[in-house]
Amino acid sequence: GENVEQHPSTLSVQEGDSAVIKCTYSDSASNYFPWYKQELGKRPQLIIDIRSNVGEKKDQRIAVTLNKTAKHFSLHITETQPEDSAVYFCAASKGSEKLVFGKGTKLTVNP
Amino acid sequence: DSGVTQTPKHLITATGQRVTLRCSPRSGDLSVYWYQQSLDQGLQFLIQYYNGEERAKGNILERFSAQQFPDLHSELNLSSLELGDSALYFCASSRNFATNEKLFFGSGTQLSVL
């Protein structure tokens, strides 16, 4: 089955810097790659997703890139703010099969 | 507010006991998913129901079971509880059964087994 590896497990940046979180997946047939943000004590919330027919997607300060050949995808956050501090989860799925999550990255943005 | 309701928010029980976690999906959503979140394991998929039928199974123990009722709410039953079952249990819902669409998560039930 699908396996998703996420790196790094923790990331600390200064406010205003960029943050990059990377994930690799094992099943080349996977075609949907969402990113969820979970603030402390709260529920995971979808922040951006990308499908395999697209190489990059942006939404304001957040972008996701996908490299199907290498089977990896990345989350880029620019101009980080303290409110970006949270745990970020990547995930992958294909068709109607289960969504498999990475183990998460704890991002800390220092003021 | 995601529209997904989970009860109770907290549950404290003893080893060997049985508990039931409840989830009401967003209005109009037919799929319900259960996830277990522990500190070092991220979000582990347990089981999915679609319109009352089991759709997909993940790493769900035999001591755990779930069902989705005609009104689409779902219950996760955990029995013969062990210390290692202590975790945050999330329910999520989506419109259809395909997993390539947005999941809306509830606030979770924090289970503590003492």
Side-chain angles (χ1 to χ4, degrees):
Chain A
E2 175 65 277
N3 183 50
V4 177
E5 301 278 342
Q6 184 171 347
H7 300 281
S9 56
T10 61
L11 180 60
S12 182
V13 300
Q14 290 299 122
E15 183 176 358
D17 287 350
S18 294
V20 180
I21 303 170
K22 298 181 180 180
C23 289
T24 60
Y25 58 98
S26 60
D27 190 338
S28 57
S30 288
N31 58 7
Y32 177 63
F33 308 93
W35 287 87
Y36 283 79
K37 174 184 180 182
Q38 185 178 23
E39 297 177 15
L40 188 62
K42 298 193 175 180
R43 73 194 80 198
Q45 290 188 292
L46 180 73
I47 55 172
I48 195 167
D49 58 9
I50 192 169
R51 300 181 192 276
S52 59
N53 58 346
V54 176
E56 184 176 3
K57 185 176 179 180
K58 288 184 179 180
D59 183 3
Q60 299 183 335
R61 296 185 298 107
I62 292 173
V64 58
T65 58
L66 172 64
N67 183 326
K68 287 188 293 184
T69 302
K71 291 189 288 186
H72 68 70
F73 56 112
S74 301
L75 178 71
H76 305 254
I77 306 174
T78 59
E79 301 172 15
T80 54
Q81 301 167 3
E83 51 266 39
D84 294 329
S85 295
V87 178
Y88 291 81
F89 292 96
C90 63
S93 74
K94 61 178 180 181
S96 60
E97 294 192 12
K98 64 180 181 181
L99 195 59
V100 177
F101 284 86
K103 291 194 175 184
T105 296
K106 183 179 180 181
L107 173 65
T108 302
V109 180
N110 302 300
Chain B
D1 184 5
S2 67
V4 180
T5 304
Q6 283 188 255
T7 57
K9 289 190 184 302
H10 303 278
L11 202 48
I12 301 174
T13 188
T15 54
Q17 295 298 304
R18 182 179 190 275
V19 297
T20 298
L21 282 52
R22 183 188 169 101
C23 169
S24 293
R26 285 190 323 152
S27 177
D29 283 0
L30 299 177
S31 265
V32 170
Y33 308 77
W34 287 98
Y35 284 87
Q36 179 190 58
Q37 185 176 40
S38 49
L39 283 175
D40 59 347
Q41 292 297 319
L43 286 160
Q44 294 290 313
F45 171 72
L46 296 178
I47 198 164
Q48 177 199 0
Y49 279 83
Y50 172 73
N51 204 20
E53 300 289 326
E54 183 183 303
R55 176 74 189 176
K57 224 170 192 178
N59 302 319
I60 187 167
L61 300 172
E62 285 191 10
R63 300 183 287 108
F64 296 1
S65 65
Q67 54 184 325
Q68 186 179 28
F69 295 87
D71 66 354
L72 301 178
H73 90 270
S74 178
E75 294 182 354
L76 179 66
N77 301 296
L78 315 176
S79 61
S80 303
L81 285 168
E82 302 175 358
L83 296 177
D85 297 328
S86 296
L88 185 55
Y89 291 84
F90 282 107
C91 165
S93 74
S94 66
R95 194 70 58 185
N96 295 306
F97 61 79
T99 56
N100 57 351
E101 58 180 53
K102 185 174 181 177
L103 297 186
F104 293 86
F105 283 82
S107 297
T109 293
Q110 180 67 59
L111 175 65
S112 298
V113 182
L114 306 178

